[in-house]
Amino acid sequence: MSPRSAAFLSAIPLSALILAGCSAEDTSEEAEASAESGGTVTVTAANGEVEVAQNPQTVVVFDNVQLDILDALGVEIAGIPSAEVVPEFFSEYAEDESVANVGSLFEPDFEAVAALEPDLIISGGRSAEVTGDLEEIAPTIDMSVDTADLAGSLAERARTYGEIFDKTEEAEQLVSDFETRVDEVSAKLSEAGDGLVIMTNAGEFSAYGPGSRYGFFYDSLGLEASVEVESDGRHGEVMSFEGLAEADPDWLLVLDRDAAIATEGSTPAEQVLDNELVDRTTAAEEDQIVYLDSQELYLVGGIQAYMNAMDTVDAAISE
């Protein structure tokens, strides 16, 4: 992993995005060598087996999870979607005039994409539904992650990109660092008591359980759920403050959706949870309410985002 990427991964909390990877000259030489060799890689993606060019020169990305991983590997990106709220995580991409605006996650600007003459388009998550349309422009791989096995899915994606971009060593190092951190934090969190992952939104909150969008904290880090939560995929279960008090979690891991998307006039999560019912919980009494970086996890959610989240949790447990 490059020094620049390593510096980013060690930042607690989020620092400005630091681009990782090789120099533009090195990347250009690799791309030219690939073009001359005409090599290809067969990728297993959500849209099937797709043959793509080895070391594609022009890459367009329509999923922030994938952009997170590609950034960690130092892959140059030609185009990304615009957004009303750009995570600080990706601020340098948004400010880089050489990175084209290719529409939004839900509504790609197909003309802008075609104008780039991409060798590879990567979709996933919110953009998965337009994969078929993007395939008409260039080879497209839907790299949506599996929330039921997020850690394994992220590692698999990283290794696939290592194969595509001739960065197998970098990918294995990234995966090794990620899995080592999972082992380190899970050893502590699994012994720290039970808890819940919750997300505040518009003055209310939802809880997420194992196997859900934020099941990583249970499934990979060993957090014991304080109460059974009926959450499925991307959506959590709306929960009352009375229900939270009854569950009495030892730990609360909190995301603030309004803060993530910069909702004007919204109530911060700290204020939403500032009431007598929450104060009765062990989490509040023991000062074990942990506020995670909501932009990183809600808008990004790749390896680097979860590395930073693990650092935050580790720091809280170690206090």
Side-chain angles (χ1 to χ4, degrees), residues 284-306:
E285 291 175 349
E286 299 295 329
D287 194 23
Q288 294 178 166
I289 300 178
V290 182
Y291 293 92
L292 302 171
D293 191 302
S294 302
Q295 271 202 347
E296 285 197 4
L297 293 181
Y298 185 74
L299 297 180
V300 183
I303 282 183
Q304 295 184 91
Y306 274 96

Side-chain angles (χ1 to χ4, degrees), residues 165-224:
F165 296 99
D166 195 21
K167 291 178 176 289
T168 54
E169 290 185 8
E170 293 91 330
E172 287 300 329
Q173 184 62 59
L174 178 63
V175 171
S176 176
D177 291 343
F178 177 64
E179 292 179 342
T180 296
R181 202 71 182 104
V182 168
D183 290 342
E184 292 172 345
V185 178
S186 64
K188 299 179 182 180
L189 187 58
S190 62
E191 300 295 329
D194 61 29
L196 286 174
V197 179
I198 66 172
M199 177 186 289
T200 63
N201 180 36
E204 300 180 340
F205 70 94
S206 298
Y208 289 80
S212 69
R213 179 178 183 179
Y214 299 109
F216 171 84
F217 296 96
Y218 307 98
D219 306 327
S220 295
L221 297 189
L223 178 65
E224 179 186 351

Side-chain angles (χ1 to χ4, degrees), residues 26-304:
D26 290 341
T27 304
S28 176
E29 290 176 354
E30 290 175 0
E32 289 174 3
S34 174
E36 291 175 1
S37 67
T40 61
V41 175
T42 300
V43 175
T44 301
N47 57 322
E49 300 287 322
V50 184
E51 188 173 6
V52 304
Q54 182 94 41
N55 274 322
Q57 300 180 55
T58 306
V59 181
V60 175
V61 181
F62 279 96
D63 181 44
N64 284 344
V65 174
Q66 311 312 317
L67 185 56
D68 175 326
I69 301 171
L70 292 164
D71 171 68
L73 295 176
V75 175
E76 287 194 5
I77 306 301
I80 61 173
S82 62
E84 291 184 7
V85 178
V86 177
E88 186 177 357
F89 205 95
F90 295 140
S91 60
E92 289 194 16
Y93 286 102
E95 296 165 2
D96 188 345
E97 294 182 357
S98 69
V99 179
N101 175 357
V102 291
S104 71
L105 291 174
F106 299 103
E107 297 182 2
D109 183 337
F110 295 108
E111 290 186 1
V113 175
L116 291 173
E117 299 182 352
D119 302 303
L120 177 64
I121 303 172
I122 299 172
S123 65
R126 293 178 174 87
S127 66
E129 292 186 2
V130 297
T131 298
D133 297 320
L134 293 169
E135 286 178 318
E136 296 181 9
I137 298 173
T140 303
I141 49 178
D142 176 357
M143 301 294 274
S144 298
V145 294
D146 179 7
T147 57
D149 180 20
L150 182 65
S153 192
L154 291 173
E156 180 182 20
R157 296 301 184 240
R159 290 189 170 107
T160 297
Y161 294 135
E163 186 177 2
I164 293 173
F165 296 99
D166 195 21
K167 291 178 176 289
T168 54
E169 290 185 8
E170 293 91 330
E172 287 300 329
Q173 184 62 59
L174 178 63
V175 171
S176 176
D177 291 343
F178 177 64
E179 292 179 342
T180 296
R181 202 71 182 104
V182 168
D183 290 342
E184 292 172 345
V185 178
S186 64
K188 299 179 182 180
L189 187 58
S190 62
E191 300 295 329
D194 61 29
L196 286 174
V197 179
I198 66 172
M199 177 186 289
T200 63
N201 180 36
E204 300 180 340
F205 70 94
S206 298
Y208 289 80
S212 69
R213 179 178 183 179
Y214 299 109
F216 171 84
F217 296 96
Y218 307 98
D219 306 327
S220 295
L221 297 189
L223 178 65
E224 179 186 351
S226 306
V227 64
E228 184 176 349
V229 178
E230 296 295 332
S231 55
D232 181 26
R234 301 187 66 83
H235 303 289
E237 177 185 354
V238 176
M239 195 172 192
S240 67
F241 289 108
E242 290 80 6
L244 182 62
E246 185 177 349
D248 188 23
D250 295 319
W251 291 86
L252 275 178
L253 306 184
V254 184
L255 295 99
D256 185 337
R257 182 180 183 276
D258 288 321
I261 62 175
T263 302
E264 187 175 352
S266 63
T267 303
E270 291 87 343
Q271 293 183 28
V272 173
L273 299 178
D274 184 14
N275 63 60
E276 293 182 0
L277 289 169
V278 177
D279 289 345
R280 295 178 190 173
T281 65
T282 301
E285 291 175 349
E286 299 295 329
D287 194 23
Q288 294 178 166
I289 300 178
V290 182
Y291 293 92
L292 302 171
D293 191 302
S294 302
Q295 271 202 347
E296 285 197 4
L297 293 181
Y298 185 74
L299 297 180
V300 183
I303 282 183
Q304 295 184 91

Side-chain angles (χ1 to χ4, degrees), residues 181 184-185 188 192 251 310-319:
R181 202 71 182 104
E184 292 172 345
V185 178
K188 299 179 182 180
W251 291 86
M310 286 189 284
D311 287 346
T312 300
V313 171
D314 190 12
I317 297 173
S318 301
E319 285 184 356

